[in-house]
Amino acid sequence: MTQERRLRILGLVVLLVFGVAWLRAAQLTTVEAQPLKAKLDEGRQPVTIAAPRGQITDRNGIVLAISESAADVTANPRLIKDAAGTAAKLAAILELPEADLYKKLTDGSGYVILDRLVSEAQGRQVRALAIEGVDTWPRTRRQYPQATVGSQLIGFSGVDGQGLSGIEQSLETALRGKDGKRLLVRGRGGEKVVYIKDEKQTVPGKSVKLTIDARIQARAEEELATAGQRFGAKSATAIVMQPSTGKVLAMANWPKVDANDVESAPGSARIVQGTNFTYEPGSTFKPFTVAGALEENEVTPVTSFTLPPQIQVADRVIKESHARGTITATTGDILSQSSNVGTVMIAQRLGKTRFDQWIRKFGFGRPTGVELEREERGKLLDVSDYSGASIGNLPIGQGELVTPLQLVAGYSTFANDGIYHEPTLVDGVNGQTQPRSKGQRVVSSRTASEMRAMLQKTTEVGGTATGAAIKGYEIASKTGTAQKVAPGDNEYTQGLYTGSIVGMAPADRPKIVVAIIVDEPSKEAYYGAEVAGPAFKNLTRWTLNYLGVAPN
Amino acid sequence: MSALRETTPGVGSGNGVPVSGRSPQPRRPTAARPVGAAGVQRRSLQRDLARREANLRINRRVSGAAAGIVRPPLAGPASTAVEAPAPQQRMTSPRPAAPQQHPPASPASPGPYAPGQRTAPSARPAAPARGMAPQSRAGIGAPSRQSQPQPQARVAPATRPAAPYGVGQAAALAAALSEPAFVAPRPAPTPQRPILTTLPGGAIGEPARKDRRLSNPAILVAAFVLLVVTVGAVVALQIGMTQISEQRGADLGKITTLQQKNIALKEGIGRLVSASRVDDAATASGLVEPSVEDVRYLSRGDRTALAAKAARVLKTAPVAPTAAQAAAAATAAAAQTPPSTSAPATIADSGTAQ
């Protein structure tokens, strides 16, 4: 056979092969295209991979919130052939009344949600039934293993996985991941996956590590519950803060709310009272008046005052909480005995303008900047809005509104040698520690030290917070009892108070600042030292032991 | 293909001499033929003659006779060598053959082919009949060959006379062949220079040799095996990819399951370390938490004395409850009985340690 003939034969063979292939391709793409596409679509299974929401832990890594896989079970009633049988099967899995399911399956609509956020195991069982018209959709379900611990602070997330309150809402960007999409192509029978393509990568949410210590938080909630129940309070708040860093170790609310069952709690109990509860601080505000006067060199700790039983300021008469005669008292005595008259006299030396400047320096009247949404800023009058009597009631903590966290941050300035740190709740995101500011000096170290010394006298004999004294530790604290105005009233309502106490320990080098606020106590007592003092004492002592802070 | 035709005797031309009636083509180098032995030459001629006879019969039967066309006689046993045969007597064309042009014999100017190596390209074949070859090499406008001088046979006259074209030609040829063959002396044949082809990679091959390789069964089998192995490998690769995807799908399922278990474990740990749960469990077990007031710190000092002091305190501490007591306490806790918190301290000192 000649070479030319071989080439011709080879060419013919090649043409033949390619011709057959071309004809087959043409047949597949035209004649058999639709059946093949239908067959292909049967095996294609686009799957949405729900991105798990980032977990929230306390500063020791204890899980406070975590997401687990779940599923929504939906149905298209128009495709359901045996509604009764389907309802019976699903009722056994979903643990729902069969009648309810049957009603949904026969409502004639094209789409009904049979159950939301069922467990992954339940979803798998539903899928295994392979009922035409019943589908499951991958979701994530938020779980709070600590239940009530820090529930309001951590917040809640909705059925769609978005944060609705607390840390869950404020750190939504970090916690929320990005859902992914994956294409699965199954082989004959639909059992085996023969092809996988990640069309969109799933990005899980970032984990958030809080400054909260779950143990201290739990202890604070216990103490609040004890105080609230004992005194019949409307609510109670506790904050424990590390003054040297501004880290909040605990921010507790009472009444408790189970984070896994939020809907059963009243709306007022769900708010974070540490940042969203504003109240008139009463006597716990006096130290800021005194600190301003000390910084302005208007007074010293030993400056002596002759205090009348009451003092007239414009059209208002300011009295002491307990009637007394005229006495002579130093600045320290005024503070330790919580004299209204003496504080007003100091404020008059300071003047309304400088008083306003100093209280604003301590952070009142503006949000603290803590990582929580909708933080209240409190309410401070502008100097131009002062009435003649304002300098008579504002220095003693009546007439302005503050939040518990603002108050604690202000006291932390005294505890931290005059440097103010913005409170913070987030220690790190995704393993990276949050940057910290160096703080801002508000008062001199000397003034801060003098303030601690004067506040330490409150727990001594003759002070207002003797009940808060802790054996072995020197405590610097200040109690407060503020009158409240009931909604609709124009004057302070009789019998409506907010009792509170704020203090630090150990007084010479404070490790913690603790505040207890009991709102509207209705039983036994209403003074801050009585309703909040015991809780403060127990919580402070326990926390000092827990943190390993040795006695003085 | 053309090379093969030229080198194959009796196909189209005999020994390089064009068949009368066909357009003479410029002759390409012919394959070398050894001319040493007379017997070999004779056998070759016999084969040529037999084929020519067969061709002639076919031609005459098919067209020649019917059309009345008389073909010129075959050229004699032409030599493709330097020596051209003498002009032969033709039946219809008495003209002598076209003069032969010889290549330069001077060794000093060998031209494209050295003398004795290759003579065919320059050896002009006998001119065909005018009427039969209008598109001859000389062309229509070419000068008449009749006016050209007759070349002289330099070596030997024609060994065979031109036989009349007819039935007895084969017999005449056979008779001629039966005589002792006279072979004109020829220059020693030189093996044809192979047509060299540069193969990829610089190797030099020979087309004919490659053809032989292609027809080699072993090579064909090897190529077939290679093809089968390649196709098999592609199929195996596809199967492997499918299996990998299947395995990946199964692994993804396992990963998801393990992740869910991991989350469940974390959640379980979170519940277990819950302070309230620990306190409740401790209370249910009969343990009591000391009041914060009763917790003391031991100062640095004589360790022996401190240890003895701690031992004394421990002796006065309440005895751990029995199992029955613990169960009763658990039942009480389950009934939400508020636990007692006023139990005595577990460790106390005399006040010297602070």
Side-chain angles (χ1 to χ4, degrees), chain A residues 483-502:
Chain A
Q483 290 178 286
K484 289 190 69 175
V485 180
D489 289 354
N490 294 326
E491 297 290 334
Y492 287 116
T493 305
Q494 191 66 28
L496 217 55
Y497 299 95
T498 299
S500 60
I501 182 171
V502 186

Side-chain angles (χ1 to χ4, degrees), chain A residues 2 4 67-69 120 143 145-146 182 192-194 196 198 215 219 222 471 537 541-542 545 551, chain B residues 1 211 242 245-246 248-249 252 260 263 266-267 270-271 273-275 279 289 292-293 295-297:
Chain A
T2 62
E4 187 174 346
S67 288
E68 63 179 11
S69 297
E120 176 64 22
Q143 290 292 306
Q146 303 286 325
R182 179 178 293 161
K192 295 181 179 179
V193 176
V194 297
I196 299 168
D198 285 329
R215 292 283 297 171
R219 188 72 188 197
E222 286 182 22
K471 187 179 178 182
K537 178 180 177 179
R541 179 62 193 262
W542 186 92
N545 286 338
Chain B
M1 196 73 176
D211 287 344
T242 305
S245 295
E246 182 183 339
R248 190 177 167 217
L252 284 174
Q260 290 167 359
I263 290 172
K266 282 184 178 180
E267 188 184 341
R271 294 187 197 282
V273 300
S274 172
D279 291 346
E289 185 178 5
V292 293
E293 291 289 342
V295 177
R296 297 289 186 271
Y297 286 78

Side-chain angles (χ1 to χ4, degrees), chain A residues 430-449:
Chain A
N430 236 19
Q432 294 192 344
T433 305
Q434 295 289 93
R436 301 279 175 234
S437 66
K438 294 180 179 179
Q440 180 182 356
R441 178 166 290 283
V442 176
V443 296
S444 66
S445 175
R446 178 184 174 183
T447 299
S449 176

